[in-house]
Amino acid sequence: MRARKESSTTRILQLLLLLFLSDSYKSHCHCHPFHSAEGNAARTEGSISPDTSPGVEPEPFLPLLASSPLMPFRNYSSVPTLSGQCRLNFSSTQTAMSKTATDCYSFLAPFLDNAICCPQFLATLIILIGQSSKYSGLLALDETQAMTCLSDVENTLQSQGTDTDLGNFCSIHPANLTEGSCPITHVNEFESIVDSARLLAACRKIDPVSECCEHVCENAILDAARKIALKGSSASDGRRDLEKLSTRIADCKNIVLRWLAGKLDPSSTNGVLRALISCDINKVCPLDLPQVTGVSKECGDHVISNNTSCCISMGFYMSSLQDLSLLTNLQAVNCAISLGKKLQKANVTQNVYNLCHIKLMDFTLQEYSGCLLPSLPSDATYDNSSGLGITCDLSDNVEAPWPFNSSSPSASSCHESTKIPALPSTTSAQDGMDFNLL
């Protein structure tokens, strides 16, 4: 959704506060120590070696974040202050809202934003407008309603413990709930232009693995978006201003998604939207990669003579990435490739990942034991006895891929040559390892 901009100092203060609030809980729980030798050994034994076949489903583990008695998760709920002016039907999104409240819980949100929290929040807003279109006939809100409704949604989620400013946190603003530059907002007009049957057939039920490779639903959405974006404009207009047309198509894609959210089975809509969003977020590295001047000074060609000093410099650089956010495995691959290309441009052509034993797990938040999230859509979980938890993919204990040329493809499960990691099939925590992160 967006690269993390917050300072590492803020993240550390948040974690210290969470540790302080949880001290009284620790004495009453059966916890596996986070940084203990036994805990690390158990994790290593369950990890997949670099030689493991990518077709073998990795066994995940489930780190649990137990809620402190001072901050009970479900008992946190209070009565939200609502405007009374939003005409959207909130009752149609209770399940999605509940998922968002868990995924965006205030202390976890800064670390789960890109892969879990913000995708779920966006899906909830799409469903809310789409379901309400059944009664209003509209697939967008005007500016006033957009501001009012977004505020009401945020207040409702805040009353359940989410971040206090979720819209800004996820870069979702009232304008995102309007039509933008798309010329079509009415359901009837939409259906008079778009092949609704084809669109529903392509997106009614999608496989979250194959969709990211074959783009069956995505292509149908894009085709529908182009059709409604061109409404009222000529082909010559499009040729004169391709950038404006591209923006209009992007805005119309939002309209298409809302229409789908109003037509699909409510029980499957959230899964479809999350799968589509996951395909997008797994294409890129969400991290802001700092300048590599220090690494190139110690590891650059014609300079590197001391592997130790090179790897110390590389270690310092990697530590700057390890307090940012939890990544999916494919995001980590993309980050590794992006950093590798950056290093190569800075005259570091030796594979420093191999030299310094840099793993995929080194690109993700280390406070959670280097957990890489599955590339499939995932959510935080809540259990009365164990608290909040996340599911990690154990295919992370493999060497980060070093790009061998400037045209190396980004991570994709569609490339047969991609072996680390394979896009996992549906993961389960039934055989996972439970331990308390605190």
Side-chain angles (χ1 to χ4, degrees):
M1 307 290 290
R2 65 183 174 94
R4 295 301 315 132
K5 302 292 185 183
E6 296 176 284
S7 69
S8 60
T9 301
T10 301
R11 297 297 181 78
I12 293 171
L13 288 175
Q14 287 175 325
L15 287 170
L16 286 175
L17 178 59
L18 184 55
L19 287 169
F20 172 77
L21 292 174
S22 65
D23 280 344
S24 60
Y25 177 83
K26 289 183 185 179
S27 60
H28 300 291
C29 70
H30 299 288
C31 304
H32 295 268
F34 171 53
H35 285 300
S36 71
E38 294 84 357
N40 289 336
R43 185 179 185 279
T44 302
E45 289 175 4
S47 298
I48 291 182
S49 70
D51 297 327
T52 301
S53 168
V56 177
E57 179 179 341
E59 289 191 12
F61 64 95
L62 185 64
L64 295 178
L65 176 61
S67 49
S68 164
L70 300 180
M71 291 187 58
F73 180 68
R74 290 304 179 190
N75 293 336
Y76 186 92
S77 297
S78 60
V79 178
T81 301
L82 302 180
S83 66
Q85 302 300 311
C86 179
R87 295 192 292 271
L88 296 179
N89 181 12
F90 278 47
S91 63
S92 65
T93 59
Q94 288 183 354
T95 300
M97 291 279 278
S98 179
K99 281 180 176 290
T100 306
T102 305
D103 289 344
C104 298
Y105 189 58
S106 57
F107 281 95
L108 283 178
F111 312 111
L112 302 180
D113 64 335
N114 187 272
I116 291 183
C117 170
C118 296
Q120 179 55 41
F121 181 46
L122 176 60
T124 297
L125 293 173
I126 294 171
I127 295 171
L128 187 57
I129 299 176
Q131 287 292 311
S132 296
S133 71
K134 295 178 179 179
Y135 311 101
S136 67
L138 296 174
L139 295 167
L141 305 181
D142 61 37
E143 291 182 3
T144 301
Q145 274 284 297
M147 186 176 299
T148 299
C149 291
L150 181 58
S151 176
D152 282 357
V153 172
E154 288 181 307
N155 287 337
T156 300
L157 291 170
Q158 285 173 31
S159 72
Q160 299 178 50
T162 66
D163 192 273
T164 55
D165 195 6
L166 202 52
N168 283 329
F169 183 73
C170 293
S171 298
I172 297 175
H173 307 292
N176 298 114
L177 278 64
T178 68
E179 72 275 19
S181 60
C182 188
I184 303 298
T185 60
H186 290 268
V187 172
N188 290 340
E189 189 174 8
F190 178 95
E191 293 177 350
S192 69
I193 299 172
V194 172
D195 186 345
S196 302
R198 175 179 175 271
L199 182 58
L200 280 175
C203 298
R204 180 173 281 112
K205 186 177 182 181
I206 65 177
D207 184 297
V209 175
S210 62
E211 173 61 29
C212 296
C213 295
E214 299 170 7
H215 311 292
V216 174
C217 177
E218 176 65 24
N219 288 338
I221 290 172
L222 185 59
D223 181 61
R226 286 197 185 102
K227 286 181 178 179
I228 61 176
L230 291 172
K231 178 69 175 178
S233 63
S234 65
S236 59
D237 291 335
R239 284 195 295 270
R240 284 198 302 266
D241 197 346
L242 292 178
E243 184 176 349
K244 180 182 289 187
L245 179 60
S246 177
T247 300
R248 190 183 303 166
I249 291 173
D251 290 338
C252 287
K253 282 182 67 176
N254 293 330
I255 298 295
V256 178
L257 289 172
R258 295 170 195 166
W259 181 86
L260 278 171
K263 295 297 181 180
L264 295 175
D265 186 327
S267 63
S268 63
T269 304
N270 194 87
V272 169
L273 293 174
R274 287 290 301 280
L276 292 171
I277 295 171
S278 289
C279 289
D280 287 335
I281 68 173
N282 281 317
K283 292 176 183 177
V284 295
C285 172
L287 303 179
D288 273 337
L289 299 173
Q291 293 300 315
V292 295
T293 307
V295 178
S296 63
K297 182 179 179 180
E298 299 294 338
C299 305
D301 294 350
H302 313 300
V303 177
I304 182 169
S305 58
N306 188 330
N307 291 351
T308 300
S309 61
C310 170
C311 291
I312 288 175
S313 178
M314 191 66 190
F316 276 122
Y317 184 92
M318 295 304 300
S319 68
S320 70
L321 305 178
Q322 293 173 347
D323 64 349
L324 296 178
S325 182
L326 282 169
L327 305 183
T328 69
N329 47 27
L330 289 181
Q331 283 178 321
V333 172
N334 275 307
C335 288
I337 291 173
S338 297
L339 176 57
K341 291 180 178 179
K342 193 166 188 159
L343 288 167
Q344 288 175 344
K345 289 180 180 178
N347 205 33
V348 179
T349 59
Q350 183 173 353
N351 184 350
V352 292
Y353 295 160
N354 179 269
L355 178 69
C356 303
H357 308 292
I358 303 298
K359 307 288 187 180
L360 277 182
M361 59 185 285
D362 293 324
F363 286 86
T364 193
L365 184 71
Q366 298 302 295
E367 291 296 338
Y368 290 81
S369 195
C371 164
L372 283 174
L373 299 168
S375 49
L376 294 177
S378 60
D379 296 287
T381 59
Y382 176 76
D383 181 84
N384 285 328
S385 61
S386 52
L388 286 166
I390 51 177
T391 301
C392 297
D393 177 12
L394 287 186
S395 63
D396 57 1
N397 193 27
V398 293
E399 184 180 313
W402 179 257
F404 290 103
N405 57 69
S406 59
S407 61
S408 295
S410 60
S412 170
S413 62
C414 309
H415 295 289
E416 292 183 3
S417 60
T418 301
K419 296 181 180 179
I420 42 178
L423 189 63
S425 57
T426 303
T427 57
S428 166
Q430 292 177 352
D431 299 322
M433 180 176 67
D434 294 346
F435 65 95
N436 188 279
L437 292 177
L438 305 178

